[in-house]
Amino acid sequence: MNAHPDGEATHLYEDRIAALEEKVRAFEASLQREAENSGPRKWRGWIERYGLLVAWGALILLLGAVKPDQMFAWNSYATMFGSNAMLVVLTLGLLIPLTTGDFDLSVASTMALSSMLIAVLEVKLGVPIGLAILCVLIVGAIVGAINAIFVLYFGIHSLIVTLGTGYFINGLILWVSNSNTISGVSMELVRSVILTRILGVPIGFYYALGMTVVVWYVFHHTSLGRRLLFVGRGREVARLSGVNVTKVRTGALMASGVIAAFAGVLYTGMRGAADPTSGLSFLLPAFAAAFLGSTAFYPGRFNAIGSMVAVFFLSTGIMGLNFMGVDSFVQNLFYGGGLIIAVAISQLLRGRRPMS
C-alpha cells in the first residue's frame, strides 16, 4: 500500500526541522570551541554571561555600605523575592513573543484584567476560587488570540495592536470594577501565594522559579523553542524552511496572554484585593527586565534565567533606594534608564542590527 500523502508531508516537515536544529547546534558548538581556544575571548564570553550576577552582587555591597542593617538582612530579600514573583512571571510571558520578534504591550493590562476578574467572580458572584482562576486563564488566551488575529491576519504591527488592546482592556477594567478596588479575595488564594513560606520566602517565589525553569527548558531543549528562535531571527527563512510561522507567532501571543493572566492570579493573592490601576505600572519593569536579561547567560538572546536575575537586580536597586528614603519618582528613572541601557547593550551583542 502507498503511504498516506499527509503522513509523508508531516515526516518531511519534521526531518527538515531536525536538520535545521542540527545545523544550529553545530554552529553553536563551533562558537563555543572557538571561545574556549581563545583566552581573551573566553574571558569576554564569561563576563557577558555572568556579568549581571557580578553587577547584582556589587550593587548589594554598594547599597549595603550605606544601609548595612537592611541590605544585609535575609528578611529584606525574602520579602523582595515574594513580592516580585508576579513580575518574574509577567516578564516570562513577555519573552515568548519577543523571541518571535513581536512586542506585546498588553501584558500588564492582561495581568490587571485577570486580577480584577478574579475579584469580581469570587467576591461579587460567588464563583469558587479554582474555577475563577481557570476562567481568567482562558480570558488571557482569548486576549492573545485577539492580538494574533489583528497582527497576523490584518498585517498590523504588533506594537500598534497590543498598545490598542492594552488601552481597551484598561477601559474594560474600569467598567467592570466601577473604578473601585475590590477586596475580600479568598484567603485560600492569599495563603497559596504569600502567607505560606519556605525558608522564609513566600511560596509565590517558587511558582515563579518553577515557571522560569519550564520556559528555560522549552527555549533551549525542545524543537518548539528552536522554532520560536528561527521565526524571531528570520521569518522568511523560517517559512521557506517549512516552519509554520503564523502558527508559531499565534501560539506565542496566546501563551503570553495566559502567562500574564497567571501573573494576575499571583498579584491578587499577594494583595488579597484587586484595584483597577496598580497592575498597569509593571509594563516598564517587565520590558526592562526582559532586555536586561538578554545580556546575560545567553547574550543576545531573550532567556528566562537572565530575565529572572534581571528582575531581582532591578528590584534590589529599588529596595536600596527606598531604604535610603529616596523619592518614589526615582523608581521611574531607575527602570527607564535600565531599559535604555539594557536595549543598548543587547543591540551591541546583536551586532547593532536594526530591531524589527
Side-chain angles (χ1 to χ4, degrees), residues 125-355:
L125 303 179
V127 176
I129 189 64
L131 182 57
I133 292 173
L134 178 61
C135 289
V136 300
L137 294 179
I138 293 173
V139 168
I142 293 172
V143 171
I146 292 172
N147 285 334
I149 289 171
F150 283 98
V151 171
L152 300 173
Y153 295 99
F154 288 92
I156 308 173
H157 197 284
S158 58
L159 279 172
I160 299 173
V161 171
T162 57
L163 179 63
T165 304
Y167 270 90
F168 181 86
I169 292 173
N170 295 346
L172 188 62
I173 294 170
L174 293 173
W175 174 55
V176 169
S177 65
N178 198 25
S179 301
N180 293 321
T181 297
I182 300 176
S183 57
V185 174
S186 170
M187 285 302 297
E188 181 182 352
L189 179 60
V190 177
R191 280 193 297 270
S192 299
V193 174
I194 199 73
L195 294 184
T196 302
R197 293 175 176 256
I198 300 175
L199 301 177
V201 181
I203 195 171
F205 165 78
Y206 297 97
Y207 300 149
L209 179 61
M211 181 161 286
T212 300
V213 172
V214 170
V215 174
W216 166 80
Y217 182 82
V218 170
F219 273 15
H220 299 283
H221 296 281
T222 68
S223 61
L224 174 59
R226 296 291 183 183
R227 292 172 194 178
L228 290 169
L229 183 61
F230 289 157
V231 172
R233 293 290 173 87
R235 290 172 185 165
E236 192 58 33
V237 173
R239 183 179 291 107
L240 293 174
S241 300
V243 177
N244 190 330
V245 174
T246 299
K247 184 177 179 180
V248 170
R249 293 175 67 192
T250 299
L253 288 167
M254 291 183 67
S256 177
V258 172
I259 296 174
F262 180 64
V265 174
L266 296 181
Y267 191 50
T268 309
M270 185 184 75
R271 295 168 58 88
D275 70 81
T277 57
S278 65
L280 308 179
S281 63
F282 292 102
L283 181 61
L284 178 59
F287 267 95
F291 278 94
L292 184 58
S294 71
T295 67
F297 297 98
Y298 300 90
R301 182 187 301 184
F302 294 107
N303 68 91
I305 298 175
S307 295
M308 185 175 189
V309 172
V311 167
F312 294 126
F313 170 80
L314 294 169
S315 300
T316 298
I318 296 298
M319 181 176 68
L321 293 174
N322 288 336
F323 286 152
M324 290 189 293
V326 175
D327 291 335
S328 59
F329 70 83
V330 176
Q331 294 188 21
N332 290 337
L333 299 178
F334 192 83
Y335 280 127
L339 175 59
I340 294 172
I341 293 171
V343 172
I345 296 174
S346 177
Q347 285 298 96
L348 288 175
L349 294 174
R350 285 161 49 93
R352 290 186 292 183
R353 296 194 303 271
M355 295 179 66

